[in-house]
Amino acid sequence: LKKAKQTKRFELFVSESLNRAKHRFSLETDLRHALARNELELHYQPLIDLDTGRLNGFEALARWNHQDHGYVSPLDFIPVAEESGLIVPLGRWALSEAARTIANWERELGSELPTKISVNLSAVQLLRDDVPAAVADALGSAGICGSRLTLELTESAFVDDPVGARRVLEALKGLNTHLAMDDFGTGYSNLAYLQKLPIDVLKIDRSFIADMTANSDNKAIVSTILSLASALGMKTTAEGIESAEISSALRELGCTNGQGYYFARPLNADAAYAFLKDSAVTTA
Ligand code: C2E
Ligand code: MG
Ligand code: MG
Ligand code: MG
């Protein structure tokens, strides 16, 4: 009986992982096609200066509306892109799409335009592609300055090859782009190392922000990250602000920028353009 039970469990395990493999395989194939047919979109979520309530930029977030399954979250397809190598063309597409969008906005509103776009770079992309060359291509074909882009990296980018990653960051700074450390506080944080990197902004992960007014541990973590950033001369962005209460708590603690559903959800390019044109927002 024991044996039969074990076998059954084993079969269950096999068929589950088979299903998972099939699912992954079809996502991978479908993602490849979606990229080739240009079916991905970038949406743009406003970043708000917490002191003035003004728009300070947008974060570009990849969106995939699958023809059979509807919306697929980047939390599902980015890992597939990373495992399959599709992150290289996807990453290049995101850079050039964001650069083209800024170029369109400059054309409409003039080059005094007070905004920029942040693009996420995956750690796998940094290992597999020549990212500074990809950024230079995107800037060159769109005809915009590097200072229009912020590149968001995660701490995981530094784990495997810290020396190589640092060289990439320096090359990106050489193109005048801004650099942000994304999801800060969730990864492997080597503070001594952080200090040596040319990072302009720390983005505080949503997991600390969401309940910080009710959870004193998270509030302590947030204020520690804010002091650290200020000691290192970096700006800060809090992600996942969903209420006026959280927004004003962060403003009081001296956080530079805020991002979250309280201000705006990620918007398609037309809605982001409308938001930009009408860009005075109240922060509570
Ligand atoms: P991220 O870079 O940390 O992006 C912020 C995520 O928080 C986004 O999720 C955004 O929609 C979500 N968010 C913002 N404000 C709120 C809020 O107030 N409440 C809640 N519940 N969520 C909020 P999204 O768009 O699902 O993206 C998830 C992750 O996928 C991103 O996290 C990023 O790591 C990755 N990703 C998205 N687009 C790209 C891309 O083009 N390239 C790469 N490499 N990664 C991407
Ligand atoms: Mg990000
Ligand atoms: Mg983030
Ligand atoms: Mg995050």
Side-chain angles (χ1 to χ4, degrees):
L1 182 71
K2 202 172 170 205
K3 180 116 204 215
K5 246 191 185 162
Q6 270 173 358
T7 310
K8 191 136 191 222
R9 207 178 299 146
F10 180 68
E11 279 166 4
L12 195 68
F13 174 75
V14 168
S15 75
E16 263 177 15
S17 55
L18 198 65
N19 270 334
R20 211 172 308 144
K22 273 194 204 144
H23 182 63
R24 200 186 76 85
F25 182 72
S26 69
L27 261 192
E28 180 184 325
T29 307
D30 293 359
L31 183 59
R32 190 181 304 278
H33 289 144
L35 270 168
R37 298 189 200 120
N38 205 17
E39 287 171 1
L40 296 192
E41 272 183 35
L42 283 184
H43 282 201
Y44 302 92
Q45 189 176 29
L47 307 178
I48 303 297
D49 179 318
L50 290 175
D51 261 338
T52 62
R54 285 185 187 284
L55 178 71
N56 200 14
F58 293 90
E59 177 174 7
L61 295 160
R63 291 291 178 262
W64 180 18
N65 203 1
H66 189 287
Q67 51 188 16
D68 307 320
H69 309 307
Y71 176 75
V72 185
S73 165
L75 297 173
D76 294 323
F77 70 79
I78 294 292
V80 170
E82 290 177 332
E83 284 162 34
S84 61
L86 286 171
I87 195 66
V88 170
L90 191 156
R92 287 192 169 235
W93 163 80
L95 285 165
S96 32
E97 185 69 18
R100 260 201 307 274
T101 298
I102 277 278
N104 287 339
W105 292 349
E106 275 187 7
R107 236 181 334 270
E108 297 291 328
L109 303 173
S111 57
E112 312 295 274
L113 188 72
T115 203
K116 47 190 191 282
I117 295 182
S118 301
V119 179
N120 290 287
L121 297 180
S122 137
V124 178
Q125 186 185 352
L126 286 169
L127 290 174
R128 294 217 191 172
D129 196 10
D130 181 348
V131 169
V135 171
D137 279 355
L139 296 173
S141 352
I144 59 159
C145 293
S147 59
R148 287 292 190 201
L149 291 187
T150 299
L151 302 166
E152 299 195 358
L153 309 111
T154 54
E155 295 161 275
S156 57
F158 301 91
V159 176
D160 288 335
D161 179 13
V163 178
R166 185 170 169 191
R167 215 177 305 124
V168 170
L169 295 204
E170 271 151 15
L172 293 173
K173 284 311 285 184
L175 296 169
N176 281 322
T177 60
H178 309 271
L179 301 178
M181 190 66 91
D182 205 355
D183 302 335
F184 189 73
T186 58
Y188 155 94
S189 312
N190 181 335
L191 297 184
Y193 190 67
L194 181 69
Q195 181 225 139
K196 298 197 186 115
L197 296 174
I199 299 287
D200 306 291
V201 184
L202 290 186
K203 290 194 78 173
I204 309 171
D205 193 66
R206 177 158 68 85
S207 58
F208 305 115
I209 302 298
D211 65 349
M212 63 173 273
T213 52
N215 178 328
S216 58
D217 289 345
N218 281 347
K219 188 167 183 188
I221 290 171
V222 170
S223 70
T224 303
I225 295 175
L226 293 171
S227 316
L228 172 73
S230 132
L232 297 177
M234 296 173 185
K235 297 197 162 121
T236 41
T237 300
E239 44 177 52
I241 302 178
E242 294 191 1
S243 70
E245 190 194 8
I246 304 264
S247 169
S248 41
L250 284 161
R251 188 182 47 202
E252 274 157 32
L253 290 171
C255 183
T256 326
N257 289 307
Q259 171 180 8
Y261 297 168
Y262 172 62
F263 302 112
R265 298 217 167 218
L267 307 166
N268 69 28
D270 289 343
Y273 177 68
F275 193 98
L276 174 63
K277 280 209 297 184
D278 174 29
S279 66
V281 183
T282 2
T283 51

